Amino acid sequence: MQPVQTRYSTVDALQFPAAITLRVLLSGSQTNGSHAIFEDIVEPGVGPGRHIHHEQDETFFFLEGSFDFEIDGVLYHMGPGDISFVPRETVHAFKNVGATSGRLRYMFTPALKAKEMFRAFFAEQESGGLTPEAMEEIAKQHNQSFVGDPL
């Protein structure tokens, strides 16, 4: 495997209007599948439903803003500089509880098809059909499950 560098100004950005701007910082195809790194700029009051990654660990790096973060039913308040590790098969969710946009980065280990899953969510949104049912179906195709409401 070769070293990889990415430039923040040139990475893919997927816009989910009034919710999240997702940036693909490093994909599994660039790391021989070892990991993938993403960044979310999250609007106030926004976060995903509770979910599980069945085959991936996930590490979160909170960069800006104020977030509530639930792991296995325990609620944590996270801010800039905080880090959280979520082992595979663990229910989790986050929500921007601040008054302004928040920013976090997260890494999937191994990468598997995380980038492809987010692109499928984006494509479904672009076609006008990103419903909870569509999200669940896409997640299942990538060995993930939505298991509850957002925080």
Side-chain angles (χ1 to χ4, degrees), residues 19-34:
I20 292 174
T21 299
L22 185 151
R23 287 191 166 85
V24 180
L25 302 179
L26 200 61
S27 69
S29 64
Q30 294 171 295
T31 66
N32 200 29
S34 68

Side-chain angles (χ1 to χ4, degrees), residues 10-58:
T10 63
V11 298
D12 291 338
L14 308 177
Q15 299 281 338
F16 295 87
I20 292 174
T21 299
L22 185 151
R23 287 191 166 85
V24 180
L25 302 179
L26 200 61
S27 69
S29 64
Q30 294 171 295
T31 66
N32 200 29
S34 68
H35 61 281
I37 302 174
F38 303 90
E39 178 182 276
D40 284 354
I41 298 172
V42 184
E43 296 306 315
V46 172
R50 290 168 176 89
H51 59 282
I52 297 172
H53 306 287
H54 297 290
E55 297 178 330
Q56 297 163 297
D57 299 326
E58 191 172 15

Side-chain angles (χ1 to χ4, degrees), residues 13-124:
L14 308 177
Q15 299 281 338
F16 295 87
I20 292 174
T21 299
L22 185 151
R23 287 191 166 85
V24 180
L25 302 179
L26 200 61
S27 69
S29 64
Q30 294 171 295
T31 66
N32 200 29
S34 68
H35 61 281
I37 302 174
F38 303 90
E39 178 182 276
D40 284 354
I41 298 172
V42 184
E43 296 306 315
V46 172
R50 290 168 176 89
H51 59 282
I52 297 172
H53 306 287
H54 297 290
E55 297 178 330
Q56 297 163 297
D57 299 326
E58 191 172 15
T59 304
F60 289 83
F61 304 86
F62 296 88
L63 304 175
E64 296 173 3
S66 181
F67 288 88
D68 278 350
F69 193 77
E70 185 180 280
I71 305 170
D72 253 355
V74 179
L75 190 64
Y76 303 91
H77 186 71
M78 308 300 278
D82 293 339
I83 298 172
S84 185
F85 172 74
V86 181
R88 63 194 73 191
E89 295 293 346
T90 304
V91 177
H92 61 287
F94 64 82
K95 179 180 181 178
N96 178 352
V97 294
T100 61
S101 297
R103 188 166 61 105
L104 54 85
R105 289 187 179 158
Y106 47 99
M107 178 172 61
F108 287 102
T109 309
L112 301 178
K113 300 288 185 183
K115 174 183 167 184
E116 291 78 2
M117 179 185 68
F118 291 131
R119 286 198 174 284
F121 287 151
F122 183 72
E124 193 72 21

